[in-house]
Amino acid sequence: MKHLTIPAMLIGALALSACDRNSRFGDDAATAGAGGIVPGSPSDPASPAYFEQTIGDRVLFAVDQSTLSGEAQDVLAKQASWLMENPEYSAIVEGHADEQGTREYNLALGARRASAVQSYLIDRGVAPNRLRTVSYGKERPLEICSDETCYAQNRRAVTVLTAGAGTS
Amino acid sequence: MKLIRILTMALALIGLAQTATHAQPLRIVIDEGVIEPLPVALPTFVASGGEAAQYAEEITRLIAADLTGTGLFREIPASAHISSVTSFDAPVAYSDWKAINAEALVVGAVEMGGEGDLVIKFRLFDVFSGAALGEGLQFSGTVSGWRRIAHKVADVVYSRITGEGGYFDSRVVFVSEQGPKNARQKRLAIMDYDGANVQYLTDSNSLVLAPRFSPSGDSVLYTSYESGRPQIYVLDVASVNRVALDTSGGNMSFAPRFSPDGESVVFSLEQGGNTDVYTVGLDGSNMRRLTDSPSIETAPSFSPDGSRIVFESDRSGTQQLYVMPASGGEATRISFGPGRYGTPVWSPRGDLIAFTKQNAGRFHIGVMRTDGSEERLLTASFLDEGPTWSPNGRVIMFTRESQGESGAPALYSVDISGRNLRRVATPSAASDPAWGPLQN
């Protein structure tokens, strides 16, 4: 047991440090499962970390747009499959805008983006009662520089998993 | 609101000097593009007793700061004065004030009244006419309210010389910000128009946005993430109690403003990604949808007579300004210049609409007539937004955010001619100012 545990902890630590923020579901990734897959780590297909990092929890948008690109649709299709395979989770879709816009407009634009993602996931089979949306407008940028490299990362919709099977 | 009750304006003083008949009355006409500020002399108010003396100096300085802060007045420094004023009732040595080119002279006195109140009296003189401009007045109030008394004196002086209402005895509600750009903490705060007496109205546990005063200044509408998603709240300024505005249905409610009678709220409601304009009674009654379009309709603002609403919409493909009847119905587009227009706010005088304009990578605060004509840009920067009007409709306060990783917002004011751009002092970064009414 001892020999197994130590490398597993190392993998867990590496995975966490590669992530730009803490997992919302605790750090119980230290116990190794069969086949070298660490439960709860990005290598565990049933884990939120896998959803966030391996599938990708976010899609990006063009300036002032809420249209889903082909790339975004690919990510969302995988998100939808994951959600259907893991019914114990629900999700909040957060819509965001870059800072180049007025506050109210950006709130409305973020809502449009979140709604576009929500609709896509529902079209791919996710039950509507498992998905909620919230817009943060330009209030929560991910990247803080004031040029297009950052703006492109900030124009996003993030699918945030929550524990629980959703509300009716 | 103890202060308002205690601070009372007493009757005009009796036995004051001859009412002046001016051939050319002392007057600044703000519309006519004043470039040269009017020279005013403000000798330190005469104090009776030691305790009054400490206030006399501060009150005189604050009156001077209010007046010169408008950009319309220039104070002649005390070092240039020939006469000194040692008695409130002494005859005015007009020739001495004329010699230093003081066009206006304010003479005042400070004494301690009964129960430790401050009593302040003052007279305004038109030096070149050699006569008083209006009657002498007396204000009294608690010592803790000394700044308000000074602002009231300055409002009277400003008002008599410009013919406009004043705005110094007013407050501003805003969002106080702290922390890095990607994890800003925000809380509501209220302060005097000049940045003094900051008080916090909420904690920073939830994001808060865009507070708006009620017409009386007693309550504030704002948007908070307290429930996990943006929702409108009504906060009582005195008690700091808050209740969610009852906007049944919809996902996110935001961008609220009071109607001019203070009884209802116009706001935006988002449902399924689509944002439209609605009204609802303050008690949650009579909710009505005013726009019905797949585009974004937001940032509504009533005309001061309550008959119309200006708002922004991207129904044409970009953000533009529209005016519609207060009951909804056909909207008329009023913005047609290059770029995008948002956050329209109707002037309290009814004559102009202030807005944010975004064009060619820059942001501007501007004003236009209510039919969209005579557009005038007052500012330009990396990010200016969210204008709010002074109670007299002559000055606009707004948010200016600096660029880059350490970028942060601050409050600025500018007059409607585009002059006198000034930063408003706040204890930390600040955004989303809303200017309240003149206090009683």
Side-chain angles (χ1 to χ4, degrees):
Chain A
M1 270 320 279
K2 203 169 188 180
H3 285 90
L4 253 177
T5 309
I6 290 166
M9 285 185 78
L10 284 174
I11 293 165
L14 282 171
L16 280 174
S17 64
C19 180
D20 62 356
R21 64 203 180 289
N22 293 325
S23 167
R24 288 174 166 83
F25 297 91
D27 51 1
D28 55 353
T31 323
I37 292 173
V38 182
S41 81
S43 61
D44 172 8
S47 71
Y50 181 90
F51 182 90
E52 286 168 15
Q53 294 164 54
T54 310
I55 291 177
D57 63 351
R58 66 201 54 195
V59 295
L60 305 180
F61 295 87
V63 175
D64 220 11
Q65 297 301 312
S66 55
T67 312
L68 298 169
S69 66
E71 196 183 340
Q73 292 182 28
D74 290 345
V75 171
L76 294 177
K78 289 179 198 156
Q79 286 188 6
S81 302
W82 191 94
L83 284 164
M84 288 188 289
E85 284 159 19
N86 294 279
E88 69 275 27
Y89 293 100
S90 295
I92 299 173
V93 183
E94 298 179 350
H96 299 265
D98 67 37
E99 68 187 358
Q100 289 285 291
T102 49
R103 200 175 312 286
E104 295 87 345
Y105 181 82
N106 277 348
L107 271 181
L109 179 59
R112 260 185 190 164
R113 288 174 175 161
S115 179
V117 167
Q118 182 189 39
S119 298
Y120 191 89
L121 294 175
I122 290 171
D123 286 348
R124 302 293 292 219
V126 181
N129 68 359
R130 294 175 63 200
L131 298 169
R132 290 193 290 133
T133 61
V134 62
S135 174
Y136 284 92
K138 61 175 172 176
E139 306 305 316
R140 285 287 179 257
L142 196 63
E143 302 293 338
I144 58 176
C145 73
S146 292
D147 56 48
E148 179 53 27
T149 56
C150 287
Y151 295 164
Q153 299 301 310
N154 291 338
R155 294 188 299 265
R156 68 202 192 276
V158 185
T159 308
V160 178
L161 298 177
T162 57
T167 54
S168 52
Chain B
M1 292 281 81
K2 200 172 167 194
L3 197 58
I4 290 171
R5 258 188 293 112
I6 292 170
L7 188 73
T8 51
M9 190 199 288
L11 293 173
L13 295 178
I14 318 158
L16 271 183
Q18 62 286 10
T19 312
T21 48
H22 303 281
Q24 290 180 309
L26 185 61
R27 172 59 53 103
I28 297 172
V29 180
I30 298 176
D31 278 334
E32 290 180 357
V34 179
I35 303 298
E36 193 56 46
L38 186 132
V40 56
L42 275 151
T44 300
F45 282 14
V46 179
S48 343
E51 199 181 353
Q54 71 187 63
Y55 289 105
E57 178 67 28
E58 289 191 278
I59 286 168
T60 314
R61 289 302 90 218
L62 186 53
I63 295 167
D66 281 344
L67 294 174
T68 58
T70 64
L72 302 173
F73 297 87
R74 170 172 70 81
E75 189 191 8
I76 298 177
S79 58
H81 295 183
I82 298 168
S83 277
S84 62
V85 177
T86 51
S87 157
F88 181 66
D89 294 310
V92 173
Y94 287 113
S95 58
D96 287 351
W97 299 109
K98 229 180 258 181
I100 60 169
N101 204 31
E103 293 188 35
L105 168 69
V106 182
V107 172
V110 177
E111 60 189 59
M112 306 309 294
E115 295 169 17
D117 276 8
L118 276 175
V119 179
I120 289 155
K121 45 191 179 178
F122 74 98
R123 293 172 185 152
L124 171 62
F125 297 96
D126 175 347
V127 171
F128 284 78
S129 300
L133 187 61
E135 294 184 274
L137 287 177
Q138 176 176 305
F139 294 94
S140 61
T142 56
V143 292
S144 63
W146 71 269
R147 294 187 70 95
R148 284 200 56 198
I149 304 177
H151 290 319
K152 283 202 172 293
V153 173
D155 274 326
V156 172
V157 172
Y158 173 92
S159 215
R160 285 183 182 171
I161 293 177
T162 64
E164 309 282 345
Y167 61 88
F168 308 124
D169 184 26
S170 62
R171 298 203 286 179
V172 171
V173 62
F174 65 102
V175 174
S176 177
E177 303 198 9
Q178 273 183 313
K181 205 169 166 178
N182 54 0
R184 276 279 150 72
Q185 292 196 306
K186 297 191 174 196
R187 53 182 169 161
L188 289 192
I190 192 170
M191 64 184 185
D192 297 349
Y193 98 100
D194 58 0
N197 293 322
V198 174
Q199 295 168 49
Y200 297 97
L201 303 176
T202 65
D203 61 32
S204 48
N205 291 335
S206 317
L207 266 179
V208 290
L209 307 173
R212 309 293 183 204
F213 268 117
S214 65
S216 69
D218 293 342
S219 61
V220 168
L221 286 165
Y222 67 105
T223 303
S224 170
Y225 283 73
E226 195 173 326
S227 70
R229 61 197 164 122
Q231 280 201 292
I232 297 168
Y233 289 78
V234 191
L235 178 137
D236 179 69
V237 173
S239 68
V240 204
N241 291 331
R242 64 190 189 282
V243 290
L245 182 71
D246 182 7
T247 56
S248 45
N251 184 41
M252 158 172 90
S253 62
F254 65 108
R257 278 185 198 276
F258 279 98
S259 60
D261 65 6
E263 299 291 319
S264 61
V265 178
V266 64
F267 65 101
S268 272
L269 191 73
E270 174 265 331
Q271 191 151 31
N274 180 34
T275 296
D276 273 299
V277 174
Y278 291 71
T279 53
V280 70
L282 208 48
D283 58 2
S285 63
N286 295 323
M287 180 149 145
R288 283 194 300 141
R289 183 174 188 157
L290 301 184
T291 65
D292 189 356
S293 158
S295 45
I296 290 173
E297 276 72 35
T298 189
S301 167
F302 273 100
S303 62
D305 67 1
S307 68
R308 288 177 290 167
I309 290 168
V310 62
F311 64 99
E312 63 173 74
S313 167
D314 68 349
R315 62 185 63 174
S316 72
T318 60
Q319 262 175 298
Q320 300 292 338
L321 307 184
Y322 295 79
V323 172
M324 67 179 170
S327 53
E330 199 184 337
T332 308
R333 179 170 163 179
I334 61 165
S335 61
F336 292 97
R340 329 163 37 147
Y341 297 77
T343 76
V345 198
W346 218 297
S347 148
R349 301 159 66 102
D351 56 344
L352 296 171
I353 288 167
F355 55 83
T356 304
K357 176 165 174 160
Q358 198 180 341
N359 187 36
R362 302 277 283 171
F363 279 75
H364 309 268
I365 301 298
V367 293
M368 56 174 61
R369 297 185 62 80
T370 60
D371 62 1
S373 63
E374 296 179 38
E375 175 179 329
R376 219 162 57 227
L377 299 183
L378 309 179
T379 73
S381 91
F382 166 70
L383 211 178
D384 287 348
E385 73 169 304
T388 181
W389 291 93
S390 64
N392 69 352
R394 287 300 178 181
V395 182
I396 288 170
M397 201 178 286
F398 61 96
T399 307
R400 170 166 289 183
E401 185 141 3
S402 54
Q403 194 168 355
E405 301 192 355
S406 58
L411 307 187
Y412 280 77
S413 66
V414 66
D415 72 29
I416 56 168
S417 62
R419 283 189 302 269
N420 202 35
L421 178 71
R422 299 164 67 90
R423 182 165 176 169
V424 181
T426 49
S428 62
S431 61
D432 292 2
W435 211 320
L438 263 188
Q439 301 188 86
N440 292 319

